[in-house]
Amino acid sequence: MPLQKLRNIGIAAHIDAGKTTTTERLLFFTGVNRKMGEVHDGAATMDFMKQEQERGITIASAAISCQWKDYAINIIDTPGHVDFTVEVERSLRVIDGMVALFCAVSGVEPQSETVWNQADRYKVPRIAFVNKMDRIGADFNEAVSQMDKYLDANPVPFHVPIGVEELFQGSIDVLERKAYIFEEYTMKQIDIPEELKEQVEEARLYVIEKIADFNEEIMELFLDGKDVETEMLKKAARDVTLKALITPVFCGSSYKNKCVHLLLDAIIDYLPSPIDVGSTVGLDMDNPEKTHTRHPNVKDPFCGLAFKLINDTYVGQQTFVRIYSGEMRTGMQVYNSTKDKEERIGRILRIKANDREDVEVAGPGDIVALIGMKFTKTGDTLCDPAHPLYLENIFIPPAVIELKITPPTKKEDEKLGAGLRRLTMEDPSFNVRYDDETNETIISGMGELHLEIMVDRLKHEFGIEAIIGEPSVAFREAITAESEVNYKHAKQTGGKGQYAHVVLRVEPNDGKGFEFVDHIKGGAIPAEFIPSVQKGIEPVLAKGILAGFPIVDVKVVLLDGSYHDVDSSDMAFRVCAAIAFKQAFLKCNPILLEPMMKLEVNTPDDYIGDVIGDINRRRGKIESMRRYRKGAQKLNGFVPLMEMFGYATQLRNISSGRANYSMEFHKYVPSPKDVQEKVLKKIEDKKSEKK
């Protein structure tokens, strides 16, 4: 199939906007499914994980292929819950176009904004589908207005709805001036209802006016008051959509099978093929300033990006790869430039959610799953060994919440370790570490639900009924002042001794992470031992000094030192640097940083006072309030994560279950002194208990 006839699309939105239901309808009407699975029945094709079926939400982005009017469409259905935002992130990295779903009743919701901003980061062209037009309170125009106001989406309605709420029957394509109504599973074209003719012409004129801003030919016709031919208008609309200058907006009701056919047509008409997206740029392996370009054709050297790992019960680990150029064949050798390892392609599978089909060869634009990859993880670049390059990685947000986890019996320790290793490979936002002081395994992730799902997966996929401690906040350690230390490490134990001497300056490095600077002059420390100084400091950064949390944003300057011809060694300088850094760190007024969360609450007007009062009690700060819809407000603010445990229950109680909220990580900020003292005392008490 020609590349012009391929579409790689993602479907993304706020939780409960109807993403999975919409995908189920797309699969049904393209003939992939014989019957429709429903989310509320736990039978949705794309939600094939047990945890997804039980909760009625999407957790892992699933990839599936289908065909519509001799076009091939690869669809990636993504989660809407903010705890699984990394799933959206990695899907957006590899798709060419996006369908942004909005609920006709709720309009732009908190996670809609997050997803939209993520799509902006990757410059993904998108169309919008206002779903649930059959619901009470549905308002197409209000949803479009919110997209303009809150997302700066430059939305342009390409549909006029026929009816609303329970009277919603279908929609009118304003570019083609054609009306469609839907009964059961069938689409029927009808004459435009008389009462909507004027509205359709106004809507069409608005489309022409918007596109004329970017197209001179249409601008001339518009200024001369002439009509624009449908084909010319559609071509111009496609061009400006691909450049992300406008967002075409369509409407329908996926659950009632209304307008899904029109959404499929819109995907083909207005979203890009790999050819439209054009070439991919990668960095040179030896010189990051130099770049290499790969075009979406089979003649260019092979390159692709691994964006997801799944462990399948039947075939083992599947590594999902988006191919950007060249061909991949079973049995061929590829180079993992991220890991500097060679890999052999075992099997290549085309995926239909949890079903699969073997293929011998895959080319540019394809999204396939590979079996038999030993080293490749999320974000790794695979390429031709003779033409190596490095593609931009996938942004992984920091983990903000921790849980202590122990196996039910000592015998299952190894089994727990193997299960956790597998889960960390699949999900880069899930981390595991072992605390030597307390002899505990600690897991960390994006939120309470994220960790709850991981623990649930350990139980069902690995048979481990793990014992879980209380959730705690993943703090960070930092410094607020600079200090200098002169430390000499000298040990004589008979035979060869240990000698190393360093003079370090440690200073804050706000927002820039760890930085090591070598200022040694005249060979005071030999060149081969200078990396040893850095290697000695790095493990201390990971383990922390003040309270066992990772240290961030410090700059270490190696000023001076000395060595011994016989007794100096790599290990001596590592030990010396570690002790010197600890001494300096404690003199730099160390503090704890706590994760500050961005909070958005939607609440009816009746409860606004109680909601604000509760946020203030949690050390929160309200930044803005705006009208959400009639009788309801949207609050935006920032709250420390440590104050937010159990918030869902409290919000339900004070609003009689009518308010909802969304929360995502914003940044790390210094903890107030009293909070820091409380946290440090709690950690000290736990250590005493262990002893």
Side-chain angles (χ1 to χ4, degrees):
M1 182 174 289
L3 271 182
Q4 287 90 339
K5 296 209 163 184
L6 175 64
R7 301 286 182 271
N8 285 318
I9 65 150
I11 298 184
H14 185 88
I15 193 166
D16 277 344
K19 293 180 304 303
T20 302
T21 302
T22 300
T23 310
E24 288 298 318
R25 300 310 187 259
L26 296 177
L27 298 179
F28 178 77
F29 290 118
T30 55
V32 173
N33 286 351
R34 301 248 175 107
K35 70 184 189 70
M36 283 178 259
E38 301 296 358
V39 174
H40 53 262
D41 296 336
T45 307
M46 301 298 269
D47 287 352
F48 54 87
M49 281 169 63
K50 184 179 188 296
Q51 293 78 10
E52 295 177 310
Q53 292 163 359
E54 286 173 352
R55 289 167 176 79
I57 61 168
T58 302
I59 293 164
S61 52
I64 195 160
S65 303
C66 60
Q67 286 202 319
W68 180 251
K69 295 183 175 175
D70 77 351
Y71 281 77
I73 305 173
N74 288 325
I75 304 171
I76 296 180
D77 178 34
T78 60
H81 197 286
V82 73
D83 279 14
F84 306 102
T85 192
V86 75
E87 288 285 340
V88 183
E89 194 76 40
R90 56 187 174 184
S91 301
L92 286 169
R93 174 67 182 82
V94 297
I95 58 176
D96 299 328
M98 183 176 103
V99 178
L101 241 68
F102 297 91
C103 171
V105 181
S106 306
V108 173
E109 295 180 274
Q111 189 66 5
S112 317
E113 295 189 43
T114 304
V115 169
W116 197 269
N117 294 336
Q118 286 173 305
D120 279 342
R121 185 187 298 141
Y122 293 111
K123 298 181 175 62
V124 178
R126 62 214 87 150
I127 60 174
F129 184 68
V130 178
N131 191 25
K132 303 190 178 185
M133 286 294 296
D134 59 308
R135 293 267 299 274
I136 292 168
D139 189 334
F140 179 65
N141 293 333
E142 176 58 24
V144 174
S145 166
Q146 287 186 22
M147 286 172 65
D148 191 34
K149 191 173 175 184
Y150 304 132
L151 304 179
D152 197 20
N154 200 5
V156 182
F158 280 30
H159 274 184
V160 167
I162 301 173
V164 71
E165 297 180 346
E166 71 271 15
L167 300 176
F168 178 70
Q169 293 176 279
S171 61
I172 302 162
D173 182 329
V174 299
L175 275 71
E176 295 194 340
R177 295 186 175 104
K178 288 179 181 174
Y180 302 93
I181 59 167
F182 297 82
E183 292 163 3
E184 287 293 318
Y185 305 134
T186 58
M187 177 174 82
K188 184 177 163 191
Q189 189 180 336
I190 59 164
D191 292 332
I192 295 173
E194 201 62 43
E195 68 275 14
L196 292 176
K197 279 183 177 174
E198 191 180 327
Q199 192 181 333
V200 169
E201 288 310 309
E202 281 174 12
R204 195 172 195 276
L205 199 62
Y206 182 70
V207 173
I208 293 168
E209 188 183 337
K210 280 288 191 180
I211 293 171
D213 289 343
F214 312 104
N215 185 300
E216 284 184 23
E217 201 177 344
I218 288 177
M219 174 66 85
E220 282 177 28
L221 291 169
F222 174 67
L223 292 173
D224 292 344
K226 294 177 182 173
D227 192 29
V228 181
E229 285 182 10
T230 301
E231 280 314 304
M232 179 194 273
L233 190 55
K234 283 182 80 170
K235 185 180 180 305
R238 177 179 174 79
D239 289 343
V240 291
T241 305
L242 297 189
K243 289 172 185 162
L245 297 168
I246 67 164
T247 305
V249 188
F250 305 88
C251 66
S253 166
S254 298
Y255 183 55
K256 296 285 176 69
N257 311 313
K258 291 177 179 174
C259 304
V260 179
H261 305 70
L262 304 181
L263 177 60
L264 280 161
D265 287 342
I267 288 167
I268 285 162
D269 290 342
Y270 304 110
L271 288 181
S273 71
I275 297 284
D276 297 315
V277 173
S279 57
T280 299
V281 177
L283 300 177
D284 188 83
M285 297 295 295
D286 302 316
N287 178 9
E289 300 295 310
K290 193 178 167 189
T291 58
H292 297 285
T293 304
R294 295 284 183 269
H295 300 92
N297 64 54
V298 292
K299 290 177 183 172
D300 266 31
F302 164 73
C303 97
L305 185 78
F307 69 97
K308 185 174 176 60
L309 266 69
I310 286 182
N311 271 288
D312 187 285
T313 321
Y314 303 103
V315 295
Q317 184 178 289
Q318 296 178 6
T319 307
F320 281 80
V321 173
R322 160 72 198 258
I323 301 171
Y324 288 100
S325 65
E327 277 189 336
M328 176 195 281
R329 296 179 176 275
T330 51
M332 78 184 262
Q333 289 286 124
V334 295
Y335 175 57
N336 181 329
S337 58
T338 314
K339 297 280 191 304
D340 190 21
K341 300 269 189 186
E342 293 239 334
E343 291 264 35
R344 184 180 171 279
I345 305 297
R347 290 166 65 195
I348 304 173
L349 304 179
R350 213 175 286 287
I351 301 295
K352 181 204 145 180
N354 62 339
D355 208 0
R356 59 199 74 75
E357 165 202 349
D358 275 276
V359 291
E360 287 299 309
V361 62
D366 280 339
I367 291 176
V368 290
L370 308 180
I371 307 296
M373 308 302 277
K374 290 179 182 170
F375 311 107
T376 304
K377 287 189 178 182
T378 295
D380 287 1
T381 301
L382 297 176
C383 53
D384 183 333
H387 300 88
L389 82 170
Y390 181 74
L391 297 173
E392 180 197 348
N393 208 321
I394 293 164
F395 171 75
I396 308 296
V400 292
I401 187 168
E402 295 185 336
L403 275 182
K404 291 179 182 63
I405 186 166
T406 48
T409 62
K410 196 77 185 146
K411 267 192 271 180
E412 290 184 282
D413 216 350
E414 211 171 293
K415 199 174 168 189
L416 175 66
L420 290 173
R421 267 194 305 279
R422 183 89 65 81
L423 293 175
T424 53
M425 280 190 74
E426 282 188 33
D427 184 348
S429 65
F430 176 67
N431 300 308
V432 180
R433 67 182 174 87
Y434 186 73
D435 190 323
D436 292 322
E437 286 192 25
T438 58
N439 294 323
E440 289 171 325
T441 301
I442 293 160
I443 58 174
S444 55
M446 302 299 297
E448 289 180 87
L449 181 63
H450 186 200
L451 295 186
E452 185 190 318
I453 296 292
M454 288 304 186
V455 171
D456 207 38
R457 287 187 64 191
L458 280 172
K459 180 181 172 182
H460 290 104
E461 292 174 32
F462 303 96
I464 303 160
E465 291 265 10
I467 299 159
I468 302 302
E470 285 291 304
S472 62
V473 174
F475 287 90
R476 296 287 184 268
E477 297 179 17
I479 53 174
T480 54
E482 71 173 59
S483 127
E484 209 172 284
V485 72
N486 184 333
Y487 180 72
K488 193 177 285 185
H489 176 69
K491 273 193 177 179
Q492 202 63 47
T493 51
K496 190 180 174 186
Q498 283 187 21
Y499 181 90
H501 171 214
V502 296
V503 180
L504 299 177
R505 186 173 73 242
V506 176
E507 55 191 72
N509 198 26
D510 291 341
K512 294 175 186 167
F514 170 56
E515 201 178 331
F516 179 77
V517 182
D518 167 26
H519 277 185
I520 291 292
K521 290 186 179 74
I525 297 175
E528 69 263 27
F529 293 140
I530 288 168
S532 309
V533 176
Q534 182 171 346
K535 284 175 187 165
I537 294 167
E538 282 169 351
V540 183
L541 294 173
K543 286 187 175 179
I545 296 168
L546 195 61
F549 297 110
I551 296 167
V552 295
D553 298 343
V554 290
K555 183 177 183 177
V556 178
V557 184
L558 178 58
L559 300 168
D560 200 2
S562 63
Y563 72 104
H564 187 278
D565 287 335
V566 178
D567 292 348
S568 287
S569 64
D570 167 62
M571 187 48 71
F573 271 99
R574 286 193 192 204
V575 172
C576 178
I579 296 168
F581 177 71
K582 283 178 185 174
Q583 288 180 359
F585 181 86
L586 292 169
K587 291 180 190 170
C588 292
N589 298 339
I591 58 164
L592 287 183
L593 302 177
E594 62 177 336
M596 184 63 73
M597 309 302 283
K598 186 178 169 191
L599 178 72
E600 187 157 317
V601 182
N602 300 325
T603 174
D605 291 342
D606 300 353
Y607 310 106
I608 197 94
D610 291 339
V611 170
I612 290 173
D614 185 55
I615 290 170
N616 290 337
R617 278 192 295 278
R618 294 172 186 270
R619 294 194 285 127
K621 184 182 170 192
I622 301 291
E623 287 281 298
S624 65
M625 285 171 60
R626 67 186 193 223
R627 176 66 52 199
Y628 171 43
R629 57 173 182 257
K630 196 176 175 187
Q633 298 271 358
K634 193 178 281 237
L635 307 178
N636 285 79
F638 299 98
V639 190
L641 175 65
M642 71 177 297
E643 307 292 345
M644 292 303 283
F645 294 120
Y647 182 64
T649 308
Q650 177 66 3
L651 185 64
R652 262 199 304 273
N653 290 343
I654 58 181
S655 69
S656 306
R658 292 176 63 199
N660 61 65
Y661 80 103
S662 170
M663 185 171 73
E664 64 179 297
F665 173 71
H666 176 55
K667 65 177 182 180
Y668 273 95
V669 299
S671 275
K673 203 163 188 301
D674 60 324
V675 172
Q676 181 167 315
E677 283 168 6
K678 213 183 289 178
V679 172
L680 293 176
K681 187 176 185 308
K682 198 174 176 186
I683 290 166
E684 209 50 54
D685 291 347
K686 280 189 179 171
K687 283 181 186 171
S688 304
E689 279 172 32
K690 289 280 173 187
K691 287 171 187 172

